[in-house]
């Protein structure tokens, strides 16, 4: 009996450290599921976001990006530019703008600059078949986090702040945020971003800021693509950073 209890405890602790795996084919980000090659679409999975050749060289926020992005767009940001802790909220960083190139509710989900095959390049964008249409297919509300109601107004005021420096001025940080060197377990994290033994909260930041990819991995086979892998059960994702 004692051995069985010990074995069960070991298995339980091991499960806490398990992270979801990256396999975009099994997620709703596999846009080829809704694309018909016979109608101007494709069965290629990655091409909706990435291309090995002819990528958007004006945008460095994501690898080999296959979408035109208007980087001059100004978003309405959370709190009018300041969190309740007094930290400034800036415009979304490049890595978040990559997500918003579909999720702003204004851009076409099915637009690429380099479609599969030879001679299918256009820096202004080519529309692949998606859900039976080769016209711009825009993300509907509420999945379009930058669009509230009818018409795109690039409104992020009611969403978790992105482009915000974590803890702000670290000499006088908000008491509710844990230090960046706080170890975390069970998350899907690749690489050491902050140089601290980890994984740590700092590994979730980009240029010291909270961005979309701090909590989400678009390739992850997990609820809502959350890096925590558990769909925020018991608010585990929120409480990783917030000391509440």
């Amino acid at each position: 009996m004692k051995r069985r209890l010990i074995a069960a405890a070991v298995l339980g602790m091991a499960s806490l450290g398990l992270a979801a795996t990256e396999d975009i084919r099994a997620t709703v980000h596999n846009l080829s599921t809704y694309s018909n090659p016979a109608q101007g679409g494709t069965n290629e999975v990655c091409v909706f976001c990435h291309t090995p050749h002819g990528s958007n060289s004006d945008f460095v926020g994501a690898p080999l990006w296959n979408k035109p992005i208007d980087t001059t767009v100004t978003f309405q940001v959370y709190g009018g530019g300041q969190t309740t802790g007094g930290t400034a909220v800036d415009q979304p960083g490049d890595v978040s703008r990559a997500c918003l190139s579909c999720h702003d509710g204004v851009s076409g989900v099915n637009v690429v600059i380099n479609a599969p095959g030879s001679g299918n390049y256009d820096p202004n964008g080519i529309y692949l078949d998606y859900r039976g249409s080769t016209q711009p297919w825009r993300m509907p509300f509420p999945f379009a986090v930058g669009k509230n109601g009818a018409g795109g107004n690039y409104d992020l005021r009611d969403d978790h702040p992105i482009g915000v420096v974590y803890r702000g001025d670290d000499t006088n940080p908000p008491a509710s945020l844990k230090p960046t060197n706080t170890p975390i377990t069970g998350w899907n994290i690749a690489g050491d971003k902050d140089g601290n033994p980890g994984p740590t909260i700092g590994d979730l930041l980009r240029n010291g800021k909270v961005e979309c990819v701090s909590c989400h991995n678009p390739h992850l086979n997990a609820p809502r693509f959350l890096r925590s892998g558990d769909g925020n059960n018991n608010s585990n994702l929120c409480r990783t950073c917030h000391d509440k």
Side-chain angles (χ1 to χ4, degrees), residues 21-218:
T21 58
E22 292 192 72
D23 189 351
I24 193 172
R25 296 170 300 175
T27 76
V28 293
H29 279 167
N30 180 0
L31 303 186
S32 70
T33 302
Y34 311 98
S35 186
N36 186 348
Q39 297 179 4
T42 180
N43 59 9
E44 295 186 20
V45 180
C46 303
V47 72
F48 283 91
C49 290
H50 305 285
T51 177
H53 306 288
S55 63
N56 187 346
S57 59
D58 294 328
F59 182 73
V60 296
L64 298 172
W65 203 240
N66 198 21
K67 291 179 175 294
I69 293 182
D70 184 359
T71 57
T72 66
V73 166
T74 300
F75 288 87
Q76 300 181 74
V77 298
Y78 178 87
Q82 190 175 67
T83 67
T84 55
T87 302
V89 183
D90 298 327
Q91 288 293 302
D94 276 0
V95 68
S96 291
R97 283 183 181 268
C99 301
L100 290 165
S101 64
C102 281
H103 282 275
D104 64 1
V106 182
S107 304
V109 170
N110 56 333
V111 61
V112 299
I113 61 177
N114 191 22
S118 300
N120 294 324
Y121 175 83
D122 186 339
N124 296 315
I126 298 168
Y127 290 96
L128 301 174
D129 169 70
Y130 185 71
R131 297 180 182 270
S133 174
T134 53
Q135 299 299 310
W137 197 93
R138 297 177 174 88
M139 190 79 68
F141 182 81
F143 304 104
V145 296
K147 175 183 176 182
N148 293 345
N153 53 9
Y154 300 102
D155 193 345
L156 301 176
R157 291 175 298 174
D158 59 355
D159 303 297
H160 190 287
I162 53 177
V164 57
V165 178
Y166 186 75
R167 289 169 63 91
D169 179 3
D170 216 25
T171 60
N172 186 29
S176 61
L177 291 176
K178 299 177 184 178
T180 56
N181 61 359
T182 303
I184 57 179
T185 58
W187 281 53
N188 176 273
I189 299 174
D192 182 7
K193 301 292 191 298
D194 67 351
N196 290 313
T200 62
I201 290 174
D203 295 328
L204 301 174
L205 308 176
R206 299 297 181 267
N207 296 320
K209 296 181 179 182
V210 177
E211 300 287 358
C212 297
V213 296
S214 297
C215 293
H216 303 277
N217 178 340

